[in-house]
Amino acid sequence: MAAKLILSMNGAVLREYPLNKERMTIGRKEHNDIVIDNLAVSGEHAAVVTIMHDSFLEDLDSTNGLEVNGTPTKKHFLQNNDVIEIGKHKLKYINDQITQTTSADFERTMVMRGPIGKLAGEKAGTMKTPAQAGQQGVDVLSQKTGKFDAPASAAKPATPAATKPAVQGDTAKVAVVQILTGANAGKELELVKNLTTLGKPGLQVAVLTRRPQGFFITHVEGAKFPLVNGKALTNQAYQLNDHDVIELAGIKMEFYFNRGQRT
């Protein structure tokens, strides 16, 4: 059973919406997947991106904003029983499925305006908060827990098995993203986790997902969709192929499979 949002107002349930699409929009205009006919709601107010059993909420630069559990937010990883407030309306997120995704399944990835250290495996205690990152010209996406603890070993898997995902019939392949442009051109990140976030918060964000069939990229945040080989993505997940070039938040990067050395 898919996760769902339950729309209510003043305690009265109005409708239930199963999250059966990868991206669903919430807003006042009729083309939205969840329509809330109220002047306090923007034409396109928010979006929910669902990847496997996990859902992300983002504010689409709405006029009046939104709150989750009483806290104003722009982007939020939804958890069971979270309550989204848009004006006088509430959307309760229900997801009682057992998910195998944990906070360890998310890697931090930085797409930066200024030089930083290696993309993964920085020394403990060097991870900056969003405010600190903004001051130094570096954009940071945190793990879904929202914590900014040290990133442990993002580039080095916890177990040997984690470095050999079953991808496209060859368990020896390890997927890698290499930055091609900007101050950090040449830096690489091995995709050893199930979910990896890429981009600049508030500008453009995408998620790379490891599935049994391979690796997929899904647009999460931003008015413009990422490009793959020069072509804009849609609302649906796109399966990446060896040596695809991704353009995201003004940075180009290449996705490829590695057998210990690049061929």
Side-chain angles (χ1 to χ4, degrees), residues 8 10 27 47 67-68 90 92 121 124 133 139 143 151 165 170-171 207 226 236 256 259:
S8 65
N10 297 326
E67 295 183 356
V68 177
K90 294 183 178 181
K92 187 172 184 178
D139 295 297
Q143 293 180 320
D170 190 340
T171 57
V207 175
Q236 302 303 311
Y256 64 90
R259 291 177 179 271

Side-chain angles (χ1 to χ4, degrees), residues 9-211:
M9 182 177 179
N10 297 326
V13 174
L14 303 178
R15 188 172 175 182
E16 294 187 3
Y17 296 89
L19 298 177
N20 51 16
K21 293 170 60 177
E22 293 227 16
R23 189 172 191 269
M24 296 181 65
T25 57
I26 305 167
R28 191 179 68 254
K29 294 183 179 179
E30 293 185 359
H31 69 265
N32 290 283
D33 300 288
I34 301 175
V35 178
I36 302 177
D37 187 12
N38 187 286
L39 292 178
V41 180
S42 297
E44 285 190 0
H45 199 105
V48 176
V49 175
T50 301
I51 301 171
M52 294 184 286
H53 297 311
D54 297 314
S55 297
F56 304 81
L57 171 72
E58 65 158 320
D59 186 314
L60 299 178
D61 295 324
S62 63
T63 301
N64 295 315
L66 56 82
E67 295 183 356
V68 177
N69 303 327
T71 302
T73 185
K74 283 288 187 180
K75 190 171 186 290
H76 180 76
F77 176 83
L78 290 168
Q79 300 182 62
N80 191 36
N81 292 321
D82 276 351
V83 176
I84 305 164
E85 297 180 50
I86 301 178
K88 295 182 179 180
H89 289 78
K90 294 183 178 181
L91 286 158
K92 187 172 184 178
Y93 175 73
I94 301 295
N95 184 2
D96 54 6
Q97 297 185 72
I98 298 176
T99 174
Q100 295 183 359
T101 302
T102 66
S103 60
D105 289 325
F106 282 74
E107 288 184 278
R108 298 182 187 86
T109 300
M110 303 181 193
V111 177
M112 45 285 157
R113 293 186 296 268
I116 60 170
K118 295 181 180 179
L119 282 177
E122 290 91 348
K123 294 180 180 179
T126 60
M127 180 59 66
K128 299 177 176 59
T129 65
Q132 292 170 328
Q135 291 170 1
Q136 298 192 21
V138 179
D139 295 297
V140 179
L141 274 181
S142 70
Q143 293 180 320
K144 76 176 187 178
T145 59
K147 296 178 180 178
F148 283 83
D149 51 337
S153 53
K156 296 181 180 180
T159 63
T163 65
K164 297 183 178 181
V167 176
Q168 296 183 351
D170 190 340
T171 57
K173 291 183 178 180
V174 177
V176 175
V177 168
Q178 182 182 55
I179 294 181
L180 301 178
T181 61
N184 290 274
K187 286 184 169 57
E188 299 179 347
L189 177 71
E190 289 186 0
L191 304 177
V192 298
K193 305 289 186 178
N194 286 334
L195 296 172
T196 304
T197 50
L198 298 169
K200 293 181 180 180
L203 178 61
Q204 199 174 43
V205 177
V207 175
L208 299 185
T209 312
R210 185 177 67 182
R211 304 181 185 180

